[in-house]
Protein backbone atom coordinates (compact mmCIF):
# COMPACT_ATOMS: atom_id res chain seq x y z
CA UNK A 1 0.00 0.00 0.00
CA UNK A 2 1.24 3.48 -0.94
CA UNK A 3 0.05 6.42 1.09
CA UNK A 4 -1.06 9.41 -0.98
CA UNK A 5 0.42 11.89 1.45
CA UNK A 6 -1.50 15.12 0.96
CA UNK A 7 0.29 16.85 3.77
CA UNK A 8 3.73 16.27 2.26
CA UNK A 9 2.62 17.02 -1.30
CA UNK A 10 0.76 20.18 -0.29
CA UNK A 11 3.91 21.43 1.45
CA UNK A 12 5.88 20.86 -1.75
CA UNK A 13 3.29 22.81 -3.75
CA UNK A 14 3.27 25.59 -1.16
CA UNK A 15 7.09 25.77 -1.36
CA UNK A 16 6.85 26.11 -5.16
CA UNK A 17 4.31 28.91 -4.81
CA UNK A 18 6.44 30.61 -2.13
CA UNK A 19 9.41 30.57 -4.53
CA UNK A 20 7.26 32.27 -7.20
CA UNK A 21 6.12 34.86 -4.68
CA UNK A 22 9.72 35.54 -3.62
CA UNK A 23 10.58 36.21 -7.27
CA UNK A 24 7.60 38.53 -7.62
CA UNK A 25 8.84 40.47 -4.60
CA UNK A 26 12.35 40.67 -6.03
CA UNK A 27 10.95 42.14 -9.23
CA UNK A 28 9.07 44.68 -7.13
CA UNK A 29 5.69 43.29 -8.15
CA UNK A 30 2.57 43.16 -6.03
CA UNK A 31 2.17 39.77 -4.31
CA UNK A 32 -1.11 37.77 -4.56
CA UNK A 33 -3.82 38.85 -2.12
CA UNK A 34 -6.51 36.38 -1.02
CA UNK A 35 -9.55 37.47 0.96
CA UNK A 36 -11.94 35.20 2.82
CA UNK A 37 -15.43 36.06 4.04
CA UNK A 38 -16.74 34.14 7.02
CA UNK A 39 -20.30 34.62 8.24
CA UNK A 40 -21.21 33.27 11.67
CA UNK A 41 -19.42 31.03 14.15
CA UNK A 42 -19.49 27.55 12.60
CA UNK A 43 -16.62 25.65 14.24
CA UNK A 44 -15.47 23.71 11.16
CA UNK A 45 -15.64 26.83 8.95
CA UNK A 46 -13.55 28.78 11.49
CA UNK A 47 -10.92 26.02 11.36
CA UNK A 48 -10.88 25.90 7.54
CA UNK A 49 -10.65 29.67 7.12
CA UNK A 50 -7.96 29.85 9.82
CA UNK A 51 -5.86 27.26 7.93
CA UNK A 52 -6.27 29.19 4.67
CA UNK A 53 -5.15 32.48 6.22
CA UNK A 54 -2.15 30.84 7.95
CA UNK A 55 -1.16 29.19 4.66
CA UNK A 56 -1.21 32.61 2.96
CA UNK A 57 1.13 34.02 5.61
CA UNK A 58 3.50 31.08 5.23
CA UNK A 59 3.99 31.51 1.50
CA UNK A 60 4.16 35.29 1.44
CA UNK A 61 0.66 36.12 0.15
CA UNK A 62 -1.30 39.00 1.57
CA UNK A 63 -4.54 37.91 3.18
CA UNK A 64 -7.67 39.59 4.50
CA UNK A 65 -10.25 37.89 6.67
CA UNK A 66 -13.68 39.50 6.81
CA UNK A 67 -15.62 38.09 9.76
CA UNK A 68 -19.29 38.93 9.84
CA UNK A 69 -21.92 38.13 12.47
CA UNK A 70 -24.48 35.35 11.99
CA UNK A 71 -27.14 38.08 11.76
CA UNK A 72 -25.63 39.55 8.55
CA UNK A 73 -28.35 40.05 5.94
CA UNK A 74 -28.16 38.88 2.34
CA UNK A 75 -28.05 42.52 1.21
CA UNK A 76 -25.13 43.28 3.54
CA UNK A 77 -23.21 40.26 2.30
CA UNK A 78 -23.92 41.19 -1.33
CA UNK A 79 -22.53 44.66 -0.61
CA UNK A 80 -19.29 43.09 0.74
CA UNK A 81 -19.07 40.87 -2.35
CA UNK A 82 -19.45 43.91 -4.62
CA UNK A 83 -16.77 45.73 -2.62
CA UNK A 84 -14.36 42.80 -3.05
CA UNK A 85 -15.18 42.59 -6.78
CA UNK A 86 -14.25 46.25 -7.19
CA UNK A 87 -11.18 46.34 -4.94
CA UNK A 88 -8.16 46.16 -7.29
CA UNK A 89 -5.91 45.08 -4.44
CA UNK A 90 -7.76 41.77 -3.99
CA UNK A 91 -6.78 39.11 -6.56
CA UNK A 92 -9.14 36.41 -5.41
CA UNK A 93 -11.56 35.69 -2.60
CA UNK A 94 -13.76 33.01 -1.16
CA UNK A 95 -17.05 33.11 0.68
CA UNK A 96 -16.80 30.26 3.15
CA UNK A 97 -19.75 27.83 2.97
CA UNK A 98 -22.15 26.96 4.48
CA UNK A 99 -23.83 30.34 4.87
CA UNK A 100 -26.58 30.90 7.47
CA UNK A 101 -29.98 29.57 6.31
CA UNK A 102 -31.46 33.07 5.79
CA UNK A 103 -28.89 33.81 3.03
CA UNK A 104 -29.36 32.41 -0.48
CA UNK A 105 -26.00 30.73 -1.15
CA UNK A 106 -26.59 30.56 -4.90
CA UNK A 107 -27.33 34.27 -5.10
CA UNK A 108 -24.07 35.10 -3.30
CA UNK A 109 -21.92 32.77 -5.39
CA UNK A 110 -23.44 34.18 -8.60
CA UNK A 111 -22.45 37.69 -7.50
CA UNK A 112 -18.74 36.83 -7.18
CA UNK A 113 -16.67 38.19 -10.08
CA UNK A 114 -15.64 35.03 -12.02
CA UNK A 115 -12.14 36.52 -12.44
CA UNK A 116 -11.74 36.55 -8.64
CA UNK A 117 -13.64 33.31 -7.97
CA UNK A 118 -10.65 31.25 -6.81
CA UNK A 119 -13.04 28.63 -5.39
CA UNK A 120 -14.25 27.99 -8.96
CA UNK A 121 -17.90 27.85 -7.85
CA UNK A 122 -19.31 30.46 -10.29
CA UNK A 123 -21.24 28.87 -13.20
CA UNK A 124 -18.91 30.61 -15.69
CA UNK A 125 -15.91 28.85 -14.15
CA UNK A 126 -17.68 25.52 -13.67
CA UNK A 127 -18.79 25.67 -17.32
CA UNK A 128 -15.28 26.43 -18.53
CA UNK A 129 -13.96 23.53 -16.46
CA UNK A 130 -16.49 21.19 -18.10
CA UNK A 131 -15.47 22.48 -21.54
CA UNK A 132 -11.74 22.03 -20.77
CA UNK A 133 -11.07 25.78 -21.05
CA UNK A 134 -8.65 27.66 -18.81
CA UNK A 135 -10.40 28.53 -15.57
CA UNK A 136 -10.28 28.23 -11.79
CA UNK A 137 -10.96 24.56 -11.01
CA UNK A 138 -12.45 24.19 -7.54
CA UNK A 139 -9.78 23.45 -5.05
CA UNK A 140 -10.86 19.99 -3.83
CA UNK A 141 -11.21 18.30 -7.25
CA UNK A 142 -8.14 20.21 -8.46
CA UNK A 143 -6.21 18.88 -5.44
CA UNK A 144 -7.29 15.31 -6.15
CA UNK A 145 -6.19 15.58 -9.80
CA UNK A 146 -2.86 17.12 -8.80
CA UNK A 147 -2.30 14.32 -6.28
CA UNK A 148 -2.99 11.61 -8.87
CA UNK A 149 -0.69 13.35 -11.38
CA UNK A 150 2.21 13.89 -8.99
CA UNK A 151 2.08 10.35 -7.63
CA UNK A 152 1.89 9.01 -11.19
CA UNK A 153 -1.29 7.03 -10.51
CA UNK A 154 -2.51 5.47 -13.77
CA UNK A 155 -6.06 6.55 -14.56
CA UNK A 156 -6.26 6.06 -18.34
CA UNK A 157 -8.79 3.38 -19.25
CA UNK A 158 -9.45 2.66 -15.56
CA UNK A 159 -12.91 2.44 -14.05
CA UNK A 160 -13.39 5.22 -11.51
CA UNK A 161 -16.41 5.17 -9.19
CA UNK A 162 -17.17 8.54 -7.59
CA UNK A 163 -19.53 8.42 -4.61
CA UNK A 164 -21.42 11.69 -4.15
CA UNK A 165 -22.69 14.19 -6.74
CA UNK A 166 -22.22 17.53 -4.95
CA UNK A 167 -21.40 20.58 -7.07
CA UNK A 168 -18.15 21.17 -5.21
CA UNK A 169 -16.65 17.66 -5.17
CA UNK A 170 -18.42 14.66 -6.69
CA UNK A 171 -19.76 16.20 -9.90
CA UNK A 172 -16.59 18.14 -10.89
CA UNK A 173 -14.19 15.27 -10.08
CA UNK A 174 -16.35 12.92 -12.17
CA UNK A 175 -15.98 15.34 -15.12
CA UNK A 176 -12.23 15.86 -14.64
CA UNK A 177 -11.41 12.15 -14.38
CA UNK A 178 -13.19 11.50 -17.68
CA UNK A 179 -11.43 14.32 -19.58
CA UNK A 180 -8.40 13.89 -21.79
CA UNK A 181 -4.97 14.48 -20.30
CA UNK A 182 -2.89 13.48 -17.27
CA UNK A 183 -4.95 11.86 -14.49
CA UNK A 184 -7.87 11.74 -16.94
CA UNK A 185 -9.17 9.30 -19.54
CA UNK A 186 -10.93 7.20 -16.92
CA UNK A 187 -14.32 5.58 -17.43
CA UNK A 188 -16.41 7.16 -14.71
CA UNK A 189 -19.46 6.00 -12.79
CA UNK A 190 -21.06 8.71 -10.64
CA UNK A 191 -22.90 7.14 -7.69
CA UNK A 192 -25.21 8.96 -5.28
CA UNK A 193 -27.89 8.42 -2.67
CA UNK A 194 -30.30 6.86 -5.21
CA UNK A 195 -27.73 4.46 -6.65
CA UNK A 196 -28.73 0.80 -6.36
CA UNK A 197 -26.25 -1.94 -5.48
CA UNK A 198 -23.41 0.48 -4.80
CA UNK A 199 -21.12 -2.25 -3.46
CA UNK A 200 -21.38 -4.11 -6.79
CA UNK A 201 -20.09 -0.98 -8.51
CA UNK A 202 -17.32 -0.19 -6.02
CA UNK A 203 -16.09 -3.81 -6.19
CA UNK A 204 -15.52 -3.28 -9.93
CA UNK A 205 -13.70 0.01 -9.41
CA UNK A 206 -10.00 0.54 -10.09
CA UNK A 207 -10.33 3.98 -8.47
CA UNK A 208 -12.81 5.08 -5.81
CA UNK A 209 -13.36 8.73 -4.90
CA UNK A 210 -15.59 8.87 -1.86
CA UNK A 211 -17.29 12.22 -1.12
CA UNK A 212 -20.45 11.58 0.83
CA UNK A 213 -19.61 12.50 4.41
CA UNK A 214 -20.55 9.27 6.19
CA UNK A 215 -17.81 8.00 8.53
CA UNK A 216 -16.32 4.60 7.60
CA UNK A 217 -18.93 4.04 4.86
CA UNK A 218 -16.55 2.27 2.45
CA UNK A 219 -15.49 -1.06 3.95
CA UNK A 220 -12.98 -3.68 2.82
CA UNK A 221 -15.66 -6.00 1.38
CA UNK A 222 -16.73 -3.18 -0.98
CA UNK A 223 -13.35 -2.87 -2.75
CA UNK A 224 -11.13 -5.08 -4.86
CA UNK A 225 -7.41 -5.81 -4.39
CA UNK A 226 -5.17 -3.05 -5.74
CA UNK A 227 -7.84 -0.33 -5.73
CA UNK A 228 -6.84 3.36 -5.56
CA UNK A 229 -8.86 5.10 -2.85
CA UNK A 230 -9.34 8.86 -2.52
CA UNK A 231 -11.21 9.68 0.68
CA UNK A 232 -12.67 13.19 0.55
CA UNK A 233 -15.00 12.82 3.54
CA UNK A 234 -14.31 14.73 6.71
CA UNK A 235 -16.76 14.22 9.56
CA UNK A 236 -16.32 15.47 13.10
CA UNK A 237 -17.22 12.50 15.30
CA UNK A 238 -17.94 13.47 18.93
CA UNK A 239 -15.37 11.99 21.35
CA UNK A 240 -15.21 13.18 24.94
CA UNK A 241 -11.87 11.51 25.54
CA UNK A 242 -10.22 14.08 23.24
CA UNK A 243 -9.41 17.60 24.32
CA UNK A 244 -11.27 19.22 21.43
CA UNK A 245 -14.28 16.91 21.93
CA UNK A 246 -14.21 15.20 18.53
CA UNK A 247 -12.01 13.43 16.02
CA UNK A 248 -11.95 13.68 12.23
CA UNK A 249 -13.14 10.64 10.34
CA UNK A 250 -13.11 9.90 6.60
CA UNK A 251 -15.67 8.02 4.51
CA UNK A 252 -13.35 5.04 4.24
CA UNK A 253 -12.53 2.49 6.93
CA UNK A 254 -8.80 3.11 6.56
CA UNK A 255 -7.65 0.28 8.85
CA UNK A 256 -9.12 -2.49 6.67
CA UNK A 257 -9.39 -0.90 3.20
CA UNK A 258 -5.71 0.17 3.21
CA UNK A 259 -4.74 -3.53 3.38
CA UNK A 260 -6.27 -4.09 -0.08
CA UNK A 261 -5.48 -0.72 -1.67
CA UNK A 262 -2.52 0.07 -3.93
CA UNK A 263 -2.83 3.77 -3.08
CA UNK A 264 -4.93 5.45 -0.40
CA UNK A 265 -5.33 8.92 1.13
CA UNK A 266 -5.44 9.25 4.92
CA UNK A 267 -7.92 11.45 6.83
CA UNK A 268 -6.69 13.83 8.05
CA UNK A 269 -3.62 14.55 5.91
CA UNK A 270 -4.94 13.57 2.47
CA UNK A 271 -7.33 15.61 0.36
CA UNK A 272 -7.81 18.36 3.01
CA UNK A 273 -4.31 19.92 2.82
CA UNK A 274 -4.31 19.54 -0.98
CA UNK A 275 -7.49 21.64 -1.11
CA UNK A 276 -5.76 24.51 0.67
CA UNK A 277 -2.67 24.27 -1.55
CA UNK A 278 -4.79 24.44 -4.72
CA UNK A 279 -6.74 27.43 -3.44
CA UNK A 280 -3.39 29.20 -3.11
CA UNK A 281 -2.42 28.01 -6.58
CA UNK A 282 -5.64 29.51 -7.98
CA UNK A 283 -4.90 32.80 -6.20
CA UNK A 284 -1.43 32.87 -7.75
CA UNK A 285 -3.05 32.23 -11.15
CA UNK A 286 -5.51 35.06 -10.51
CA UNK A 287 -2.63 37.45 -9.75
CA UNK A 288 -0.78 36.38 -12.89
CA UNK A 289 -3.91 36.82 -15.02
CA UNK A 290 -4.71 40.23 -13.56
CA UNK A 291 -1.16 41.34 -14.36
CA UNK A 292 -1.32 40.06 -17.94
P1 LIG B 1 -22.83 16.82 0.12
O1 LIG B 1 -23.50 16.54 1.41
O2 LIG B 1 -23.14 18.06 -0.64
O3 LIG B 1 -23.07 15.60 -0.87
C1 LIG B 1 -23.05 14.29 -0.43
C2 LIG B 1 -23.35 13.38 -1.60
O4 LIG B 1 -23.29 12.05 -1.14
C3 LIG B 1 -24.72 13.60 -2.23
O5 LIG B 1 -24.54 13.81 -3.63
C4 LIG B 1 -25.47 12.30 -1.98
O6 LIG B 1 -26.24 11.89 -3.10
C5 LIG B 1 -24.35 11.32 -1.72
N1 LIG B 1 -24.75 10.28 -0.78
C6 LIG B 1 -25.28 10.44 0.46
N2 LIG B 1 -25.54 9.24 1.01
C7 LIG B 1 -25.19 8.30 0.10
C8 LIG B 1 -25.22 6.88 0.08
N3 LIG B 1 -25.67 6.20 1.13
N4 LIG B 1 -24.76 6.26 -1.00
C9 LIG B 1 -24.28 6.96 -2.06
N5 LIG B 1 -24.21 8.30 -2.10
C10 LIG B 1 -24.68 8.97 -1.03
O7 LIG B 1 -21.29 16.68 0.44
P2 LIG B 1 -19.96 17.38 -0.09
O8 LIG B 1 -20.03 18.85 0.13
O9 LIG B 1 -19.58 16.86 -1.43
O10 LIG B 1 -18.96 16.75 0.98
C11 LIG B 1 -18.80 15.36 1.14
C12 LIG B 1 -17.79 15.10 2.23
O11 LIG B 1 -16.54 15.64 1.83
C13 LIG B 1 -18.10 15.76 3.57
O12 LIG B 1 -17.62 14.93 4.61
C14 LIG B 1 -17.29 17.04 3.53
O13 LIG B 1 -16.94 17.50 4.82
C15 LIG B 1 -16.08 16.56 2.79
N6 LIG B 1 -15.35 17.61 2.07
C16 LIG B 1 -14.00 17.61 2.21
C17 LIG B 1 -13.24 18.54 1.54
C18 LIG B 1 -11.77 18.50 1.69
O14 LIG B 1 -11.11 19.48 1.42
N7 LIG B 1 -11.20 17.36 2.07
C19 LIG B 1 -13.86 19.49 0.72
C20 LIG B 1 -15.24 19.45 0.57
C21 LIG B 1 -15.99 18.50 1.25
Amino acid sequence: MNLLDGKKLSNEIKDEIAADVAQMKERGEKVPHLAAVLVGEDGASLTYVGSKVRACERIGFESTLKRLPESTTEEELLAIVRELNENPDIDGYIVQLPLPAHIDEQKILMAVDPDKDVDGFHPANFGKMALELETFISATPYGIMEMLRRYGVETSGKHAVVIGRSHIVGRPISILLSQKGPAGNATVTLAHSRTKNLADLTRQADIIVSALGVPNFVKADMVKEGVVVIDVGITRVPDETRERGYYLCGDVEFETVSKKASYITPVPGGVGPMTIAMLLKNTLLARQRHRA
Side-chain angles (χ1 to χ4, degrees), residues 44 48 52 121 139-141 144 162-172 190-195 198 210-215 217 222 231-236 249-251 267 270-276:
Y48 293 146
K52 290 167 188 173
F121 292 162
T140 304
I144 296 170
V162 176
I163 314 174
R165 58 180 162 186
S166 75
H167 295 165
I168 60 168
V169 190
R171 178 90 53 195
L190 180 55
H192 45 77
S193 53
R194 303 289 181 94
T195 297
L198 178 63
S210 186
L212 72 158
V214 178
F217 178 85
M222 291 170 69
D231 188 353
V232 186
I234 305 177
T235 306
R236 288 183 168 203
C249 189
D251 287 352
V267 176
V271 177
M274 287 301 289
T275 297
I276 293 179

Side-chain angles (χ1 to χ4, degrees), residues 239-255:
D239 181 356
E240 282 171 13
T241 67
R242 304 197 189 211
E243 203 181 317
R244 53 185 180 177
Y246 65 88
Y247 68 95
L248 296 179
C249 189
D251 287 352
V252 178
E253 197 177 75
F254 186 88
E255 200 47 30

Side-chain angles (χ1 to χ4, degrees), residues 160-198:
V161 173
V162 176
I163 314 174
R165 58 180 162 186
S166 75
H167 295 165
I168 60 168
V169 190
R171 178 90 53 195
I173 193 65
S174 73
I175 294 171
L176 293 168
L177 285 167
S178 72
Q179 288 180 343
K180 289 179 187 157
N185 293 317
T187 304
V188 180
T189 300
L190 180 55
H192 45 77
S193 53
R194 303 289 181 94
T195 297
K196 292 199 168 73
N197 305 322
L198 178 63

